[in-house]
């Protein structure tokens, strides 16, 4: 009897495994065609001045909607796309789309300085990323400093042969370079000296416990200290409440993003927000 239960347990387990495998294959099949089928879009989360609340830039975040699979958040499919290699094509689309959107905003006279785009470590391994970026900028007629690239510490452990020269080339273009989710990964502080980066993004992982969790507070303070002593910019993300905003201001962090201010917005929503901010100062 217990034998049968064990056998049933095993069957349940292997069936669950098969279903999971099935789902993965299905997702990968759809993922392969998603760029061509125009299933992706970008939303833009405002990056704001923490004191005034004014929008200074925005981060492009990918969204995927598929007729069979429905809507999916990036955490559900970016990993798969990295495993299959599809992220290279998807990432190229993201870069071009974000640059084209920036072009449209500028043509409309919208005072938005910069747009941040996430890049995967696979994009560094698979291609000359600086060429892809240069092409996206050129075809939108944008200067390099209109674009910021966010990459995670994963780029550094994968250590492609020409990571350093790619960074140098991107910097030559004028592109702003940041390390996303700083502190979550493999933080060898050594690379902060070697790489020509401009800034860090404090992982929202550590902000979650602020202000009540003592070690989260200490980690945030340490990251702010590292950024300050190396002359790097620091952007906070995942700001959800007023206490966190006040904490960051006291810490000397000026720029941040989070649901306290706004989630990812459609392009026209972001434009409206910036126009309103502009009008309210013009009339003040
Ligand atoms: P990330 O780059 O660290 O982006 C921040 C994530 O936190 C976003 O999730 C954003 O919607 C979410 N977020 C923003 N404010 C808050 C807040 O106050 N509280 C909480 N709990 N969350 C907040 P999203 O859009 O689901 O993206 C998840 C991750 O997927 C991103 O993390 C990034 O690593 C990756 N990703 C998104 N778009 C792209 C892309 O175009 N290319 C690549 N390679 N990765 C992307
Ligand atoms: Mg990011
Ligand atoms: Mg992040
Ligand atoms: Mg993240």
């Amino acid at each position: 009897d217990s034998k049968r239960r064990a056998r049933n347990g095993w069957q349940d387990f292997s069936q669950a495994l098969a279903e999971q495998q099935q789902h993965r294959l299905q997702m990968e099949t759809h993922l392969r065609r998603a760029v061509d089928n125009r299933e992706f879009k970008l939303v833009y989360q405002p990056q704001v001045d923490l004191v005034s609340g004014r929008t200074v830039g925005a981060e492009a975040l990918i969204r995927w909607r598929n007729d069979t699979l429905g809507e999916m958040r990036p955490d559900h499919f970016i990993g798969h796309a990295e495993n299959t290699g599809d992220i290279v094509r998807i990432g190229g689309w993201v870069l071009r789309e974000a640059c084209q959107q920036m072009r449209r905003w500028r043509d409309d006279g919208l005072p938005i300085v910069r747009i941040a785009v996430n890049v995967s470590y696979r994009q560094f391994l698979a291609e000359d990323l600086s060429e892809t970026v240069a092409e996206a900028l050129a075809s939108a007629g944008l200067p390099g400093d209109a674009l910021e690239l966010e990459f995670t510490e994963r780029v550094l452990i994968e250590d492609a042969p020409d990571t350093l020269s790619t960074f140098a080339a991107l910097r030559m273009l004028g592109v702003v370079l940041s390390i996303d989710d700083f502190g979550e990964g493999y933080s060898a502080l050594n690379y902060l000296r070697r790489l020509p980066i401009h800034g860090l993004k404090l992982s929202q992982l550590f902000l979650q416990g602020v202000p009540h969790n003592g070690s989260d507070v200490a980690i945030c303070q340490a990251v702010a200290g590292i950024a300050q002593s190396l002359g790097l910019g620091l952007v906070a993300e995942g700001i959800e409440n007023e206490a966190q905003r006040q904490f960051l201001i006291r810490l000397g962090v000026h720029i941040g993003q989070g649901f306290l201010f706004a989630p990812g917005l459609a392009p026209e929503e972001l434009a409206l927000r910036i126009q309103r901010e502009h009008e309210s100062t013009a009339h003040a």
Side-chain angles (χ1 to χ4, degrees), residues 164-208:
L164 274 178
S165 62
T166 301
F167 273 95
L170 288 168
R171 177 130 185 169
M172 286 288 285
L173 290 172
V175 173
V176 175
L177 303 172
S178 304
I179 299 176
D180 204 351
D181 303 331
F182 181 76
E184 257 181 57
Y186 315 84
S187 303
L189 293 180
N190 186 36
Y191 69 71
L192 291 180
R193 290 197 291 122
R194 288 194 298 134
L195 289 177
I197 53 164
H198 299 85
L200 309 176
K201 291 189 80 173
L202 174 66
S203 168
Q204 62 189 55
L205 200 66
F206 308 125
L207 204 56
Q208 271 162 20

Side-chain angles (χ1 to χ4, degrees), residues 250-268:
R250 281 199 303 279
L251 211 55
V253 180
H254 302 292
I255 310 291
Q257 49 191 103
F259 297 158
L260 178 64
F261 307 102
L265 303 174
E268 55 280 7

Side-chain angles (χ1 to χ4, degrees), residues 55 61 63 73 199 208 251 282:
T55 306
L61 296 163
R63 296 291 178 263
R73 301 292 293 221
Q208 271 162 20
L251 211 55

Side-chain angles (χ1 to χ4, degrees), residues 30-246:
H30 287 288
L31 209 46
R32 208 168 304 140
R33 306 189 207 112
V35 171
D36 289 339
N37 287 350
R38 302 170 158 274
E39 291 171 1
F40 293 115
K41 66 172 185 181
L42 298 180
V43 294
Y44 299 87
Q45 184 175 40
Q47 296 184 324
V48 307
D49 179 311
L50 291 181
V51 175
S52 69
R54 284 176 66 103
T55 306
V56 295
E59 176 178 7
L61 296 163
I62 196 169
R63 296 291 178 263
W64 181 25
R65 157 139 185 70
N66 173 275
D67 283 342
T68 314
L69 301 171
E71 303 233 8
M72 277 154 297
R73 301 292 293 221
D75 286 333
H76 277 94
F77 65 84
I78 293 288
H80 290 288
E82 286 177 330
N83 290 336
T84 60
D86 287 310
I87 192 65
V88 178
R89 228 151 33 90
I90 297 170
W93 176 85
V94 171
L95 278 165
R96 286 189 301 279
E97 176 61 22
C99 287
Q100 292 299 333
Q101 183 57 59
M102 187 64 161
R103 175 77 267 155
R104 291 190 284 271
W105 279 327
R106 288 201 171 183
D107 288 345
D108 291 345
L110 203 71
I112 172 166
V113 180
R114 184 172 294 134
I115 187 131
V117 168
N118 294 285
V119 292
S120 161
Y121 74 97
R122 282 291 301 251
Q123 293 171 266
F124 276 81
L125 294 178
E127 58 182 356
D128 184 348
L129 185 62
S130 65
E131 255 172 47
T132 310
V133 169
E135 280 166 21
L137 288 167
S139 74
L142 291 176
D145 66 2
L147 185 66
E148 173 168 351
L149 297 183
E150 299 185 3
F151 54 90
T152 61
E153 294 157 291
R154 178 90 189 248
V155 168
L156 305 151
I157 22 160
E158 295 294 334
D159 203 22
D162 30 45
T163 300
L164 274 178
S165 62
T166 301
F167 273 95
L170 288 168
R171 177 130 185 169
M172 286 288 285
L173 290 172
V175 173
V176 175
L177 303 172
S178 304
I179 299 176
D180 204 351
D181 303 331
F182 181 76
E184 257 181 57
Y186 315 84
S187 303
L189 293 180
N190 186 36
Y191 69 71
L192 291 180
R193 290 197 291 122
R194 288 194 298 134
L195 289 177
I197 53 164
H198 299 85
L200 309 176
K201 291 189 80 173
L202 174 66
S203 168
Q204 62 189 55
L205 200 66
F206 308 125
L207 204 56
Q208 271 162 20
V210 168
H212 46 269
N213 182 311
S215 42
D216 282 354
V217 166
I219 290 172
C220 290
Q221 287 166 337
V223 171
I226 290 169
Q228 200 182 17
S229 34
L230 293 176
L232 298 170
L234 184 63
V235 172
E237 62 180 357
I239 306 170
E240 293 184 350
N241 58 56
E242 188 55 29
Q244 291 168 335
R245 184 176 82 97
Q246 293 299 337

